[in-house]
Amino acid sequence: MTVSNVSDEIYIRQFMAGYGHLLFEPELKGKIESFLRSFSQGLDALISGLLTELRTVTESDAATIYVVDKNMLRFAYVQNETIANKSGQGDKKGLDGYVGRTIPIEDGSLCGYVAKTKRPILIGNARDIDPSMPFRYNDAYDREMGYATISVLTAPIVDDAGELAGVLQLLNHKDENGTPEPYKDWM
């Protein structure tokens, strides 16, 4: 492992001292090994594995990644359990008709606003966003796909230098019965 500076090395030592034992728990060790194997399968497999893990940890029905393309966000990756069950489309790079669609990085849309501010946002009910907010939830995708977004967690994806690389959006955190509910603050 290459460490870029002393503060990174100190952080890694502190992390390993506090959490290193977790790496040997069988379930987590298996997930880490699976994640690392996905590196050899290419970027699509890596992102698919990452989205699967994020959806599992946050108990989300769907996950989408938008990537930065100049001053726009371009729809690039998606997993959507409900749509997969309905249509058999499942997990692939973009759903048919969505790959390449763009959203401006500006106020107005939820993803554009998160990209502009580089701050995550939790929404309990996408259809109840206060009109005074500088963004709204665009339900055009929902209408086209027959999907019903309720709760939303939208977060910026930034590189080591703090530059925006994309936006991650998780949809419909599910309770123990599979019913959408608001995301928890820790998520």
Side-chain angles (χ1 to χ4, degrees):
M1 172 187 294
T2 303
V3 178
S4 61
N5 62 44
V6 174
S7 65
D8 287 347
E9 185 174 333
I10 292 169
Y11 173 78
I12 291 168
R13 284 186 192 157
Q14 289 174 340
F15 178 85
M16 291 304 292
Y19 302 103
H21 66 283
L22 295 175
L23 299 177
F24 300 103
E25 290 187 15
E27 184 177 345
L28 183 58
K29 185 177 180 183
K31 287 183 178 189
I32 291 170
E33 288 171 353
S34 174
F35 182 74
L36 292 175
R37 273 193 302 277
S38 70
F39 274 110
S40 65
Q41 298 172 357
L43 182 60
D44 288 348
L46 176 66
I47 290 175
S48 177
L50 177 63
L51 289 179
T52 298
E53 284 302 310
L54 288 169
R55 285 184 47 239
T56 299
V57 168
T58 61
E59 299 169 329
S60 296
D61 182 58
T64 304
I65 292 180
Y66 298 85
V67 294
V68 172
D69 186 359
K70 299 179 182 157
N71 63 343
M72 304 292 278
L73 293 172
R74 184 174 38 83
F75 186 97
Y77 294 92
V78 67
Q79 284 183 359
N80 188 306
E81 188 175 328
T82 297
I83 292 174
N85 290 339
K86 282 202 286 190
S87 66
Q89 290 185 42
D91 167 23
K92 61 183 180 176
K93 188 178 178 183
L95 291 173
D96 294 339
Y98 287 87
V99 172
R101 286 191 185 189
T102 58
I103 299 169
I105 297 176
E106 60 185 25
D107 292 351
S109 74
L110 181 56
C111 286
Y113 182 78
V114 166
K116 180 180 171 185
T117 63
K118 296 182 190 173
R119 293 178 39 209
I121 295 178
L122 290 168
I123 304 290
N125 187 331
R127 284 154 182 75
D128 290 338
I129 296 174
D130 188 307
S132 68
M133 298 302 289
F135 55 82
R136 60 178 172 66
Y137 182 76
N138 181 351
D139 68 347
Y141 294 146
D142 282 7
R143 289 191 310 268
E144 288 178 34
M145 298 303 292
Y147 190 70
T149 298
I150 306 296
S151 55
V152 181
L153 186 159
T154 307
I157 301 169
V158 295
D159 64 17
D160 291 341
E163 294 297 317
L164 183 72
V167 170
L168 167 69
Q169 191 166 65
L170 298 167
L171 303 176
N172 290 350
H173 167 64
K174 297 183 277 183
D175 67 13
E176 61 277 351
N177 298 317
T179 304
E181 68 176 3
Y183 283 91
K184 311 295 185 225
D185 286 340
W186 68 265
M187 295 176 182

